[in-house]
Amino acid sequence: MTTVIIILAAVIALIIGFGISGKRSINVTALTSPGNIGQSGLLGCTFEPDIWMGSIVIRWAKVGVAGLVHEFRGGKDHLQEQDVVFQGRTAVFADQVIGGNASLELRDVQLSDAGTYRCSITTSRGSGAAVLRYQTGAFSIPRVHVQTSSSGDTLHCEAPRWFPQPTVHWTAYSNAGKCLPHAADTSYELNSENITVKVVSFLRNITANATYTCVIENGIAKATGNIKVTDFNITRETSLHMVNLNTESVSSSLPACHWMLLLPMCLLSL
């Protein structure tokens, strides 16, 4: 009886670890940041490395799209089944695949590229997949500067491309940390592609010995422009951060019902 229990435990371990096909599930992880319309984007995907390049198959698919986004196997691209909307716009990093990098470069990002993508990996060690949600929009770093005129100094905060239309808000503090009153005028001008907008915001009647911050943000990105004004000089600092990074991973596994059905067969063979 003890022998039977040991054998059954070993069988279950093998089935769970390797599956019906004799291969185990492998860890696949996807990470993405939003795509900037008109520029190149990255859909990140990594997997457990395999020394046999010929055994590695990478398939990228998108929910709602009939064809594949990209396929790479045997060390080469295989794009016969690639959907027309992705033709000429995708690439994997072939020299990094053997190290476990299945990330996809997506060139000339379109607004319609947003959606749910699946990165599926098969190697000699097993298979797995990861799902990610890809957002698209437009975002850019602002330029902040002071314009001097006879009516007083005006602070300008401009960013060339945003979508969806962002909100803009300012903060103003004296060097002593006191919140200063401020009133800004913000306008949005549609760019030539009729999707993105140019953002221009003015802050009038600024004073020396204070720090002003312009924040531009939507649901995808947040850009900040800081400008510190003193009696002697002006210093600037800008930054851009993505606000919606996401990561998901799913490893393929053997359904419980499969190995439960195998148990009676194992018992009968003992």
Side-chain angles (χ1 to χ4, degrees):
M1 184 65 182
T2 302
T3 303
V4 172
I5 293 173
I6 293 173
I7 293 173
L8 282 175
V11 170
I12 292 171
L14 285 171
I15 293 171
I16 294 174
F18 293 91
I20 293 292
S21 65
K23 293 182 180 181
R24 68 180 182 86
S25 62
I26 60 173
N27 291 324
V28 180
T29 302
L31 176 67
T32 186
S33 58
N36 204 346
I37 295 171
Q39 299 182 18
S40 291
L42 183 70
L43 284 73
C45 183
T46 59
F47 62 97
E48 296 177 40
D50 191 308
I51 61 172
W52 305 107
M53 174 65 89
S55 73
I56 299 174
V57 179
I58 300 170
R59 288 189 179 90
W60 279 94
K62 182 186 178 187
V63 173
V65 174
L68 291 175
V69 176
H70 196 96
E71 181 176 8
F72 180 90
R73 54 185 166 86
K76 298 179 182 180
D77 291 327
H78 289 265
L79 306 179
Q80 295 86 346
E81 298 181 41
Q82 186 178 48
D83 197 272
V84 64
V85 300
F86 293 103
Q87 288 180 2
R89 297 200 297 130
T90 62
V92 298
F93 302 91
D95 59 335
Q96 299 177 29
V97 166
I98 202 164
N101 186 2
S103 300
L104 184 74
E105 179 188 13
L106 182 59
R107 295 183 287 269
D108 188 23
V109 170
Q110 308 295 312
L111 186 61
S112 58
D113 288 334
T116 300
Y117 290 76
R118 180 182 176 88
C119 172
S120 301
I121 308 294
T122 301
T123 72
S124 64
R125 303 175 62 186
S127 61
V131 176
L132 60 84
R133 288 183 291 275
Y134 190 56
Q135 289 184 297
T136 58
F139 36 89
S140 55
I141 296 176
R143 176 176 176 263
V144 289
H145 63 280
V146 177
Q147 182 174 315
T148 302
S149 67
S150 57
S151 59
D153 293 337
T154 302
L155 186 57
H156 288 216
C157 179
E158 302 178 19
R161 299 175 69 253
W162 279 81
F163 181 87
Q165 182 172 303
T167 60
V168 180
H169 67 269
W170 290 82
T171 60
Y173 291 91
S174 69
N175 287 354
K178 181 181 178 181
C179 182
L180 302 175
H182 58 276
D185 294 323
T186 301
S187 63
Y188 304 93
E189 178 184 339
L190 190 64
N191 288 318
S192 57
E193 73 244 26
N194 292 323
I195 298 175
T196 65
V197 294
K198 176 182 179 181
V199 181
V200 180
S201 190
F202 300 94
L203 194 64
R204 295 182 171 82
N205 302 319
I206 66 171
T207 60
N209 300 312
T211 299
Y212 299 89
T213 302
C214 168
V215 178
I216 305 173
E217 62 182 323
N218 57 21
I220 295 175
K222 178 179 180 179
T224 303
N226 292 312
I227 186 163
K228 186 174 183 178
V229 182
T230 71
D231 291 325
F232 307 101
N233 61 15
I234 296 172
T235 57
R236 302 174 181 84
E237 183 181 58
T238 57
S239 63
L240 178 67
H241 302 284
M242 302 301 104
V243 299
N244 224 350
L245 296 176
N246 67 78
T247 179
E248 296 181 43
S249 62
V250 180
S251 294
S252 63
S253 59
L254 186 65
C257 60
H258 285 184
W259 63 264
M260 288 297 290
L261 289 171
L262 285 173
L263 284 178
M265 297 170 60
C266 296
L267 286 169
L268 289 172
S269 65
L270 294 175

